[in-house]
Amino acid sequence: MYPLIEIKTVPIEIEMKVTHAKMEYSRGTAELEISRGDGGLSIKSRPIRLNIDTFEARNSVCPTAMRSVEQYAQQGKQASYEATATYAQQGQLLLDAKIGQELVTQFAADAQNRNLKTNVGLEFLPSVGPEISWDPGEMQIRYEMDKLNFDWRVNQPQFEFTPGDIELSVKQQPDVVIKYIGGPLYVPPSADPEYQPIDVEA
């Protein structure tokens, strides 16, 4: 007789994947940004300024209405002073008169002198010159150089740590395989084509 059943066992299959721990270093980077500020040259010049005031000179030639009234008032005041002095002088002359003195001749001489002083005279116009003043010139020069601005942006170095890992995966489950390896069984046994009766007598 030979065995009719074949039994096979399938072992479990496990795959283990290990990831080692690691530390990564990233180098710091630096960025430089340069900006330029433009300077400039500015020149401010002011020439000499001449100021001429001809108000008084014009008033001496052709005075304004207000100045004319003021001058006429001054002239009238001056004439009244001169007339008062003249009358006082003539009164003094009358007081000093002596018998036989020619008063008419003296009065005539005084009147003639007054007429000469009044009517004969020279006057230059304009009697007042212009007022002249001046402001000195000025020059300002301002120069500003160009500027360079440096902006540094530095990133610090960084460390990145990756922890280790163990991964287990079952690729094959355990199993038991039972296989029948015998021939077919006939019921009744005499149905087997290869059946041979058993000789009980022998």
PDB file of all heavy atoms in Angstrom, residues 124-158:
ATOM      1  N   PHE A 124      18.118 174.336  -9.556  1.00  0.00           N
ATOM      2  CA  PHE A 124      18.328 173.168 -10.410  1.00  0.00           C
ATOM      3  C   PHE A 124      17.236 172.140 -10.142  1.00  0.00           C
ATOM      4  O   PHE A 124      16.897 171.865  -8.982  1.00  0.00           O
ATOM      5  CB  PHE A 124      19.699 172.546 -10.141  1.00  0.00           C
ATOM      6  CG  PHE A 124      20.838 173.432 -10.542  1.00  0.00           C
ATOM      7  CD1 PHE A 124      21.466 174.241  -9.591  1.00  0.00           C
ATOM      8  CD2 PHE A 124      21.294 173.475 -11.850  1.00  0.00           C
ATOM      9  CE1 PHE A 124      22.510 175.060  -9.951  1.00  0.00           C
ATOM     10  CE2 PHE A 124      22.348 174.293 -12.204  1.00  0.00           C
ATOM     11  CZ  PHE A 124      22.957 175.103 -11.250  1.00  0.00           C
ATOM     12  N   LEU A 125      16.692 171.612 -11.213  1.00  0.00           N
ATOM     13  CA  LEU A 125      15.644 170.597 -11.116  1.00  0.00           C
ATOM     14  C   LEU A 125      16.167 169.280 -11.710  1.00  0.00           C
ATOM     15  O   LEU A 125      16.850 169.300 -12.741  1.00  0.00           O
ATOM     16  CB  LEU A 125      14.379 171.039 -11.860  1.00  0.00           C
ATOM     17  CG  LEU A 125      13.678 172.263 -11.288  1.00  0.00           C
ATOM     18  CD1 LEU A 125      12.485 172.617 -12.135  1.00  0.00           C
ATOM     19  CD2 LEU A 125      13.243 172.012  -9.849  1.00  0.00           C
ATOM     20  N   PRO A 126      15.893 168.146 -11.130  1.00  0.00           N
ATOM     21  CA  PRO A 126      15.217 168.002  -9.837  1.00  0.00           C
ATOM     22  C   PRO A 126      16.139 168.383  -8.696  1.00  0.00           C
ATOM     23  O   PRO A 126      17.352 168.205  -8.786  1.00  0.00           O
ATOM     24  CB  PRO A 126      14.863 166.525  -9.772  1.00  0.00           C
ATOM     25  CG  PRO A 126      15.869 165.844 -10.643  1.00  0.00           C
ATOM     26  CD  PRO A 126      16.191 166.833 -11.743  1.00  0.00           C
ATOM     27  N   SER A 127      15.558 168.939  -7.678  1.00  0.00           N
ATOM     28  CA  SER A 127      16.353 169.406  -6.542  1.00  0.00           C
ATOM     29  C   SER A 127      16.814 168.253  -5.652  1.00  0.00           C
ATOM     30  O   SER A 127      17.756 168.406  -4.878  1.00  0.00           O
ATOM     31  CB  SER A 127      15.528 170.405  -5.719  1.00  0.00           C
ATOM     32  OG  SER A 127      14.345 169.782  -5.233  1.00  0.00           O
ATOM     33  N   VAL A 128      16.149 167.129  -5.757  1.00  0.00           N
ATOM     34  CA  VAL A 128      16.513 165.945  -4.970  1.00  0.00           C
ATOM     35  C   VAL A 128      16.833 164.797  -5.928  1.00  0.00           C
ATOM     36  O   VAL A 128      16.065 164.547  -6.871  1.00  0.00           O
ATOM     37  CB  VAL A 128      15.366 165.535  -4.018  1.00  0.00           C
ATOM     38  CG1 VAL A 128      15.765 164.302  -3.205  1.00  0.00           C
ATOM     39  CG2 VAL A 128      14.999 166.673  -3.086  1.00  0.00           C
ATOM     40  N   GLY A 129      17.944 164.192  -5.737  1.00  0.00           N
ATOM     41  CA  GLY A 129      18.321 163.060  -6.584  1.00  0.00           C
ATOM     42  C   GLY A 129      17.616 161.777  -6.164  1.00  0.00           C
ATOM     43  O   GLY A 129      17.052 161.684  -5.072  1.00  0.00           O
ATOM     44  N   PRO A 130      17.642 160.768  -7.015  1.00  0.00           N
ATOM     45  CA  PRO A 130      17.012 159.487  -6.670  1.00  0.00           C
ATOM     46  C   PRO A 130      17.825 158.740  -5.603  1.00  0.00           C
ATOM     47  O   PRO A 130      19.040 158.909  -5.492  1.00  0.00           O
ATOM     48  CB  PRO A 130      17.002 158.720  -7.991  1.00  0.00           C
ATOM     49  CG  PRO A 130      18.134 159.302  -8.763  1.00  0.00           C
ATOM     50  CD  PRO A 130      18.216 160.757  -8.378  1.00  0.00           C
ATOM     51  N   GLU A 131      17.139 157.950  -4.834  1.00  0.00           N
ATOM     52  CA  GLU A 131      17.792 157.108  -3.840  1.00  0.00           C
ATOM     53  C   GLU A 131      18.158 155.776  -4.500  1.00  0.00           C
ATOM     54  O   GLU A 131      17.298 155.076  -5.024  1.00  0.00           O
ATOM     55  CB  GLU A 131      16.870 156.865  -2.648  1.00  0.00           C
ATOM     56  CG  GLU A 131      16.568 158.127  -1.860  1.00  0.00           C
ATOM     57  CD  GLU A 131      15.706 157.829  -0.633  1.00  0.00           C
ATOM     58  OE1 GLU A 131      15.459 156.624  -0.401  1.00  0.00           O
ATOM     59  OE2 GLU A 131      15.303 158.770   0.048  1.00  0.00           O
ATOM     60  N   ILE A 132      19.425 155.465  -4.475  1.00  0.00           N
ATOM     61  CA  ILE A 132      19.932 154.269  -5.139  1.00  0.00           C
ATOM     62  C   ILE A 132      20.491 153.326  -4.080  1.00  0.00           C
ATOM     63  O   ILE A 132      21.318 153.729  -3.255  1.00  0.00           O
ATOM     64  CB  ILE A 132      21.016 154.619  -6.179  1.00  0.00           C
ATOM     65  CG1 ILE A 132      20.431 155.548  -7.259  1.00  0.00           C
ATOM     66  CG2 ILE A 132      21.579 153.355  -6.817  1.00  0.00           C
ATOM     67  CD1 ILE A 132      21.446 156.017  -8.270  1.00  0.00           C
ATOM     68  N   SER A 133      20.019 152.108  -4.097  1.00  0.00           N
ATOM     69  CA  SER A 133      20.532 151.059  -3.216  1.00  0.00           C
ATOM     70  C   SER A 133      20.622 149.763  -4.026  1.00  0.00           C
ATOM     71  O   SER A 133      19.962 149.624  -5.058  1.00  0.00           O
ATOM     72  CB  SER A 133      19.644 150.876  -1.980  1.00  0.00           C
ATOM     73  OG  SER A 133      18.351 150.452  -2.378  1.00  0.00           O
ATOM     74  N   TRP A 134      21.399 148.836  -3.563  1.00  0.00           N
ATOM     75  CA  TRP A 134      21.551 147.594  -4.301  1.00  0.00           C
ATOM     76  C   TRP A 134      21.741 146.434  -3.330  1.00  0.00           C
ATOM     77  O   TRP A 134      22.255 146.596  -2.228  1.00  0.00           O
ATOM     78  CB  TRP A 134      22.741 147.675  -5.269  1.00  0.00           C
ATOM     79  CG  TRP A 134      24.057 147.929  -4.601  1.00  0.00           C
ATOM     80  CD1 TRP A 134      24.547 149.102  -4.137  1.00  0.00           C
ATOM     81  CD2 TRP A 134      25.038 146.945  -4.298  1.00  0.00           C
ATOM     82  NE1 TRP A 134      25.769 148.949  -3.571  1.00  0.00           N
ATOM     83  CE2 TRP A 134      26.109 147.616  -3.653  1.00  0.00           C
ATOM     84  CE3 TRP A 134      25.146 145.579  -4.499  1.00  0.00           C
ATOM     85  CZ2 TRP A 134      27.253 146.968  -3.217  1.00  0.00           C
ATOM     86  CZ3 TRP A 134      26.278 144.930  -4.081  1.00  0.00           C
ATOM     87  CH2 TRP A 134      27.323 145.625  -3.435  1.00  0.00           C
ATOM     88  N   ASP A 135      21.245 145.276  -3.786  1.00  0.00           N
ATOM     89  CA  ASP A 135      21.392 144.029  -3.031  1.00  0.00           C
ATOM     90  C   ASP A 135      22.458 143.188  -3.713  1.00  0.00           C
ATOM     91  O   ASP A 135      22.418 143.007  -4.939  1.00  0.00           O
ATOM     92  CB  ASP A 135      20.069 143.247  -2.994  1.00  0.00           C
ATOM     93  CG  ASP A 135      18.972 144.035  -2.294  1.00  0.00           C
ATOM     94  OD1 ASP A 135      19.315 144.827  -1.403  1.00  0.00           O
ATOM     95  OD2 ASP A 135      17.785 143.851  -2.651  1.00  0.00           O
ATOM     96  N   PRO A 136      23.405 142.689  -2.969  1.00  0.00           N
ATOM     97  CA  PRO A 136      24.475 141.906  -3.610  1.00  0.00           C
ATOM     98  C   PRO A 136      23.944 140.607  -4.205  1.00  0.00           C
ATOM     99  O   PRO A 136      22.916 140.074  -3.791  1.00  0.00           O
ATOM    100  CB  PRO A 136      25.449 141.627  -2.447  1.00  0.00           C
ATOM    101  CG  PRO A 136      24.602 141.704  -1.222  1.00  0.00           C
ATOM    102  CD  PRO A 136      23.564 142.746  -1.508  1.00  0.00           C
ATOM    103  N   GLY A 137      24.661 140.129  -5.218  1.00  0.00           N
ATOM    104  CA  GLY A 137      24.287 138.864  -5.847  1.00  0.00           C
ATOM    105  C   GLY A 137      24.584 137.678  -4.938  1.00  0.00           C
ATOM    106  O   GLY A 137      25.350 137.780  -3.972  1.00  0.00           O
ATOM    107  N   GLU A 138      23.993 136.576  -5.255  1.00  0.00           N
ATOM    108  CA  GLU A 138      24.156 135.379  -4.433  1.00  0.00           C
ATOM    109  C   GLU A 138      24.125 134.146  -5.328  1.00  0.00           C
ATOM    110  O   GLU A 138      23.327 134.077  -6.268  1.00  0.00           O
ATOM    111  CB  GLU A 138      23.030 135.301  -3.404  1.00  0.00           C
ATOM    112  CG  GLU A 138      23.129 134.120  -2.461  1.00  0.00           C
ATOM    113  CD  GLU A 138      21.985 134.090  -1.459  1.00  0.00           C
ATOM    114  OE1 GLU A 138      21.135 135.012  -1.519  1.00  0.00           O
ATOM    115  OE2 GLU A 138      21.942 133.149  -0.657  1.00  0.00           O
ATOM    116  N   MET A 139      24.981 133.213  -5.029  1.00  0.00           N
ATOM    117  CA  MET A 139      25.012 131.948  -5.770  1.00  0.00           C
ATOM    118  C   MET A 139      25.163 130.803  -4.774  1.00  0.00           C
ATOM    119  O   MET A 139      26.051 130.818  -3.927  1.00  0.00           O
ATOM    120  CB  MET A 139      26.158 131.921  -6.786  1.00  0.00           C
ATOM    121  CG  MET A 139      26.267 130.577  -7.517  1.00  0.00           C
ATOM    122  SD  MET A 139      27.537 130.568  -8.790  1.00  0.00           S
ATOM    123  CE  MET A 139      26.772 131.607 -10.025  1.00  0.00           C
ATOM    124  N   GLN A 140      24.261 129.836  -4.874  1.00  0.00           N
ATOM    125  CA  GLN A 140      24.301 128.659  -4.020  1.00  0.00           C
ATOM    126  C   GLN A 140      24.475 127.420  -4.897  1.00  0.00           C
ATOM    127  O   GLN A 140      23.717 127.213  -5.842  1.00  0.00           O
ATOM    128  CB  GLN A 140      23.009 128.534  -3.200  1.00  0.00           C
ATOM    129  CG  GLN A 140      22.799 129.670  -2.206  1.00  0.00           C
ATOM    130  CD  GLN A 140      21.509 129.508  -1.439  1.00  0.00           C
ATOM    131  OE1 GLN A 140      20.738 128.583  -1.704  1.00  0.00           O
ATOM    132  NE2 GLN A 140      21.258 130.398  -0.497  1.00  0.00           N
ATOM    133  N   ILE A 141      25.458 126.616  -4.564  1.00  0.00           N
ATOM    134  CA  ILE A 141      25.731 125.372  -5.292  1.00  0.00           C
ATOM    135  C   ILE A 141      25.607 124.225  -4.296  1.00  0.00           C
ATOM    136  O   ILE A 141      26.271 124.213  -3.260  1.00  0.00           O
ATOM    137  CB  ILE A 141      27.130 125.385  -5.933  1.00  0.00           C
ATOM    138  CG1 ILE A 141      27.246 126.553  -6.937  1.00  0.00           C
ATOM    139  CG2 ILE A 141      27.407 124.060  -6.627  1.00  0.00           C
ATOM    140  CD1 ILE A 141      28.619 126.681  -7.540  1.00  0.00           C
ATOM    141  N   ARG A 142      24.756 123.275  -4.625  1.00  0.00           N
ATOM    142  CA  ARG A 142      24.539 122.107  -3.762  1.00  0.00           C
ATOM    143  C   ARG A 142      24.750 120.846  -4.581  1.00  0.00           C
ATOM    144  O   ARG A 142      24.087 120.657  -5.604  1.00  0.00           O
ATOM    145  CB  ARG A 142      23.128 122.139  -3.174  1.00  0.00           C
ATOM    146  CG  ARG A 142      22.846 120.975  -2.241  1.00  0.00           C
ATOM    147  CD  ARG A 142      21.443 121.060  -1.670  1.00  0.00           C
ATOM    148  NE  ARG A 142      21.148 119.929  -0.810  1.00  0.00           N
ATOM    149  CZ  ARG A 142      19.973 119.729  -0.221  1.00  0.00           C
ATOM    150  NH1 ARG A 142      18.996 120.600  -0.422  1.00  0.00           N
ATOM    151  NH2 ARG A 142      19.780 118.684   0.541  1.00  0.00           N
ATOM    152  N   TYR A 143      25.653 120.027  -4.122  1.00  0.00           N
ATOM    153  CA  TYR A 143      25.979 118.790  -4.833  1.00  0.00           C
ATOM    154  C   TYR A 143      25.816 117.623  -3.865  1.00  0.00           C
ATOM    155  O   TYR A 143      26.328 117.661  -2.738  1.00  0.00           O
ATOM    156  CB  TYR A 143      27.406 118.820  -5.375  1.00  0.00           C
ATOM    157  CG  TYR A 143      27.843 117.507  -5.982  1.00  0.00           C
ATOM    158  CD1 TYR A 143      27.296 117.070  -7.188  1.00  0.00           C
ATOM    159  CD2 TYR A 143      28.768 116.699  -5.337  1.00  0.00           C
ATOM    160  CE1 TYR A 143      27.681 115.859  -7.742  1.00  0.00           C
ATOM    161  CE2 TYR A 143      29.160 115.489  -5.885  1.00  0.00           C
ATOM    162  CZ  TYR A 143      28.612 115.082  -7.079  1.00  0.00           C
ATOM    163  OH  TYR A 143      28.986 113.886  -7.624  1.00  0.00           O
ATOM    164  N   GLU A 144      25.118 116.613  -4.290  1.00  0.00           N
ATOM    165  CA  GLU A 144      24.906 115.413  -3.486  1.00  0.00           C
ATOM    166  C   GLU A 144      25.323 114.193  -4.301  1.00  0.00           C
ATOM    167  O   GLU A 144      24.851 113.998  -5.422  1.00  0.00           O
ATOM    168  CB  GLU A 144      23.438 115.302  -3.071  1.00  0.00           C
ATOM    169  CG  GLU A 144      23.156 114.150  -2.132  1.00  0.00           C
ATOM    170  CD  GLU A 144      21.716 114.126  -1.671  1.00  0.00           C
ATOM    171  OE1 GLU A 144      20.971 115.057  -2.038  1.00  0.00           O
ATOM    172  OE2 GLU A 144      21.344 113.178  -0.953  1.00  0.00           O
ATOM    173  N   MET A 145      26.194 113.396  -3.726  1.00  0.00           N
ATOM    174  CA  MET A 145      26.698 112.213  -4.429  1.00  0.00           C
ATOM    175  C   MET A 145      25.631 111.118  -4.471  1.00  0.00           C
ATOM    176  O   MET A 145      24.693 111.103  -3.670  1.00  0.00           O
ATOM    177  CB  MET A 145      27.957 111.687  -3.728  1.00  0.00           C
ATOM    178  CG  MET A 145      29.120 112.657  -3.719  1.00  0.00           C
ATOM    179  SD  MET A 145      30.562 111.976  -2.860  1.00  0.00           S
ATOM    180  CE  MET A 145      30.916 110.548  -3.873  1.00  0.00           C
ATOM    181  N   ASP A 146      25.804 110.216  -5.437  1.00  0.00           N
ATOM    182  CA  ASP A 146      24.914 109.059  -5.515  1.00  0.00           C
ATOM    183  C   ASP A 146      25.130 108.146  -4.304  1.00  0.00           C
ATOM    184  O   ASP A 146      26.223 108.090  -3.733  1.00  0.00           O
ATOM    185  CB  ASP A 146      25.154 108.275  -6.799  1.00  0.00           C
ATOM    186  CG  ASP A 146      24.801 109.090  -8.033  1.00  0.00           C
ATOM    187  OD1 ASP A 146      24.133 110.124  -7.870  1.00  0.00           O
ATOM    188  OD2 ASP A 146      25.193 108.691  -9.145  1.00  0.00           O
ATOM    189  N   LYS A 147      24.069 107.441  -3.929  1.00  0.00           N
ATOM    190  CA  LYS A 147      24.133 106.545  -2.787  1.00  0.00           C
ATOM    191  C   LYS A 147      23.831 105.115  -3.237  1.00  0.00           C
ATOM    192  O   LYS A 147      22.957 104.899  -4.065  1.00  0.00           O
ATOM    193  CB  LYS A 147      23.122 106.963  -1.710  1.00  0.00           C
ATOM    194  CG  LYS A 147      23.386 108.328  -1.110  1.00  0.00           C
ATOM    195  CD  LYS A 147      22.336 108.670  -0.064  1.00  0.00           C
ATOM    196  CE  LYS A 147      22.580 110.046   0.528  1.00  0.00           C
ATOM    197  NZ  LYS A 147      21.526 110.393   1.532  1.00  0.00           N
ATOM    198  N   LEU A 148      24.592 104.173  -2.671  1.00  0.00           N
ATOM    199  CA  LEU A 148      24.344 102.747  -2.899  1.00  0.00           C
ATOM    200  C   LEU A 148      23.863 102.135  -1.589  1.00  0.00           C
ATOM    201  O   LEU A 148      24.537 102.235  -0.563  1.00  0.00           O
ATOM    202  CB  LEU A 148      25.617 102.038  -3.377  1.00  0.00           C
ATOM    203  CG  LEU A 148      26.072 102.354  -4.813  1.00  0.00           C
ATOM    204  CD1 LEU A 148      27.362 101.611  -5.120  1.00  0.00           C
ATOM    205  CD2 LEU A 148      25.005 101.974  -5.815  1.00  0.00           C
ATOM    206  N   ASN A 149      22.696 101.509  -1.650  1.00  0.00           N
ATOM    207  CA  ASN A 149      22.118 100.863  -0.474  1.00  0.00           C
ATOM    208  C   ASN A 149      22.231  99.345  -0.634  1.00  0.00           C
ATOM    209  O   ASN A 149      21.794  98.793  -1.647  1.00  0.00           O
ATOM    210  CB  ASN A 149      20.650 101.276  -0.315  1.00  0.00           C
ATOM    211  CG  ASN A 149      20.494 102.781  -0.196  1.00  0.00           C
ATOM    212  OD1 ASN A 149      21.275 103.434   0.492  1.00  0.00           O
ATOM    213  ND2 ASN A 149      19.488 103.337  -0.853  1.00  0.00           N
ATOM    214  N   PHE A 150      22.829  98.675   0.355  1.00  0.00           N
ATOM    215  CA  PHE A 150      23.006  97.225   0.342  1.00  0.00           C
ATOM    216  C   PHE A 150      22.057  96.612   1.369  1.00  0.00           C
ATOM    217  O   PHE A 150      22.091  96.987   2.547  1.00  0.00           O
ATOM    218  CB  PHE A 150      24.450  96.843   0.672  1.00  0.00           C
ATOM    219  CG  PHE A 150      25.452  97.355  -0.324  1.00  0.00           C
ATOM    220  CD1 PHE A 150      26.054  98.589  -0.161  1.00  0.00           C
ATOM    221  CD2 PHE A 150      25.787  96.598  -1.436  1.00  0.00           C
ATOM    222  CE1 PHE A 150      26.968  99.060  -1.071  1.00  0.00           C
ATOM    223  CE2 PHE A 150      26.706  97.058  -2.358  1.00  0.00           C
ATOM    224  CZ  PHE A 150      27.299  98.300  -2.183  1.00  0.00           C
ATOM    225  N   ASP A 151      21.229  95.691   0.902  1.00  0.00           N
ATOM    226  CA  ASP A 151      20.270  95.002   1.771  1.00  0.00           C
ATOM    227  C   ASP A 151      20.576  93.510   1.747  1.00  0.00           C
ATOM    228  O   ASP A 151      20.338  92.831   0.742  1.00  0.00           O
ATOM    229  CB  ASP A 151      18.837  95.274   1.305  1.00  0.00           C
ATOM    230  CG  ASP A 151      17.809  94.731   2.265  1.00  0.00           C
ATOM    231  OD1 ASP A 151      18.213  94.299   3.369  1.00  0.00           O
ATOM    232  OD2 ASP A 151      16.610  94.731   1.920  1.00  0.00           O
ATOM    233  N   TRP A 152      21.143  93.028   2.849  1.00  0.00           N
ATOM    234  CA  TRP A 152      21.507  91.612   2.952  1.00  0.00           C
ATOM    235  C   TRP A 152      20.367  90.843   3.585  1.00  0.00           C
ATOM    236  O   TRP A 152      19.818  91.239   4.618  1.00  0.00           O
ATOM    237  CB  TRP A 152      22.765  91.437   3.804  1.00  0.00           C
ATOM    238  CG  TRP A 152      24.018  91.863   3.108  1.00  0.00           C
ATOM    239  CD1 TRP A 152      24.627  93.067   3.176  1.00  0.00           C
ATOM    240  CD2 TRP A 152      24.814  91.066   2.225  1.00  0.00           C
ATOM    241  NE1 TRP A 152      25.755  93.096   2.402  1.00  0.00           N
ATOM    242  CE2 TRP A 152      25.897  91.867   1.806  1.00  0.00           C
ATOM    243  CE3 TRP A 152      24.718  89.763   1.747  1.00  0.00           C
ATOM    244  CZ2 TRP A 152      26.873  91.404   0.937  1.00  0.00           C
ATOM    245  CZ3 TRP A 152      25.691  89.299   0.889  1.00  0.00           C
ATOM    246  CH2 TRP A 152      26.756  90.108   0.490  1.00  0.00           C
ATOM    247  N   ARG A 153      20.010  89.698   2.987  1.00  0.00           N
ATOM    248  CA  ARG A 153      19.008  88.804   3.540  1.00  0.00           C
ATOM    249  C   ARG A 153      19.647  87.423   3.692  1.00  0.00           C
ATOM    250  O   ARG A 153      19.857  86.712   2.700  1.00  0.00           O
ATOM    251  CB  ARG A 153      17.782  88.728   2.630  1.00  0.00           C
ATOM    252  CG  ARG A 153      17.090  90.074   2.446  1.00  0.00           C
ATOM    253  CD  ARG A 153      15.937  89.972   1.473  1.00  0.00           C
ATOM    254  NE  ARG A 153      15.308  91.267   1.262  1.00  0.00           N
ATOM    255  CZ  ARG A 153      14.325  91.480   0.381  1.00  0.00           C
ATOM    256  NH1 ARG A 153      13.867  90.468  -0.346  1.00  0.00           N
ATOM    257  NH2 ARG A 153      13.811  92.682   0.259  1.00  0.00           N
ATOM    258  N   VAL A 154      19.985  87.087   4.915  1.00  0.00           N
ATOM    259  CA  VAL A 154      20.710  85.845   5.205  1.00  0.00           C
ATOM    260  C   VAL A 154      19.747  84.879   5.879  1.00  0.00           C
ATOM    261  O   VAL A 154      19.112  85.216   6.891  1.00  0.00           O
ATOM    262  CB  VAL A 154      21.926  86.111   6.109  1.00  0.00           C
ATOM    263  CG1 VAL A 154      22.669  84.811   6.399  1.00  0.00           C
ATOM    264  CG2 VAL A 154      22.852  87.128   5.452  1.00  0.00           C
ATOM    265  N   ASN A 155      19.636  83.648   5.324  1.00  0.00           N
ATOM    266  CA  ASN A 155      18.840  82.591   5.930  1.00  0.00           C
ATOM    267  C   ASN A 155      19.748  81.706   6.774  1.00  0.00           C
ATOM    268  O   ASN A 155      20.824  81.295   6.340  1.00  0.00           O
ATOM    269  CB  ASN A 155      18.144  81.750   4.854  1.00  0.00           C
ATOM    270  CG  ASN A 155      17.132  82.555   4.069  1.00  0.00           C
ATOM    271  OD1 ASN A 155      16.511  83.464   4.608  1.00  0.00           O
ATOM    272  ND2 ASN A 155      16.955  82.221   2.797  1.00  0.00           N
ATOM    273  N   GLN A 156      19.299  81.410   7.972  1.00  0.00           N
ATOM    274  CA  GLN A 156      20.087  80.566   8.872  1.00  0.00           C
ATOM    275  C   GLN A 156      20.071  79.118   8.379  1.00  0.00           C
ATOM    276  O   GLN A 156      19.089  78.651   7.802  1.00  0.00           O
ATOM    277  CB  GLN A 156      19.519  80.649  10.291  1.00  0.00           C
ATOM    278  CG  GLN A 156      19.548  82.035  10.891  1.00  0.00           C
ATOM    279  CD  GLN A 156      20.970  82.534  11.087  1.00  0.00           C
ATOM    280  OE1 GLN A 156      21.882  81.737  11.312  1.00  0.00           O
ATOM    281  NE2 GLN A 156      21.161  83.837  11.007  1.00  0.00           N
ATOM    282  N   PRO A 157      21.178  78.373   8.612  1.00  0.00           N
ATOM    283  CA  PRO A 157      21.191  76.949   8.221  1.00  0.00           C
ATOM    284  C   PRO A 157      20.154  76.155   9.024  1.00  0.00           C
ATOM    285  O   PRO A 157      19.888  76.448  10.190  1.00  0.00           O
ATOM    286  CB  PRO A 157      22.618  76.508   8.535  1.00  0.00           C
ATOM    287  CG  PRO A 157      23.125  77.510   9.524  1.00  0.00           C
ATOM    288  CD  PRO A 157      22.460  78.802   9.208  1.00  0.00           C
ATOM    289  N   GLN A 158      19.567  75.139   8.398  1.00  0.00           N
ATOM    290  CA  GLN A 158      18.509  74.358   9.012  1.00  0.00           C
ATOM    291  C   GLN A 158      18.889  72.877   9.005  1.00  0.00           C
ATOM    292  O   GLN A 158      19.529  72.390   8.070  1.00  0.00           O
ATOM    293  CB  GLN A 158      17.181  74.555   8.274  1.00  0.00           C
ATOM    294  CG  GLN A 158      16.660  75.982   8.338  1.00  0.00           C
ATOM    295  CD  GLN A 158      15.345  76.141   7.600  1.00  0.00           C
ATOM    296  OE1 GLN A 158      14.874  75.200   6.967  1.00  0.00           O
ATOM    297  NE2 GLN A 158      14.761  77.321   7.685  1.00  0.00           N
TER     298      GLN A 158
END
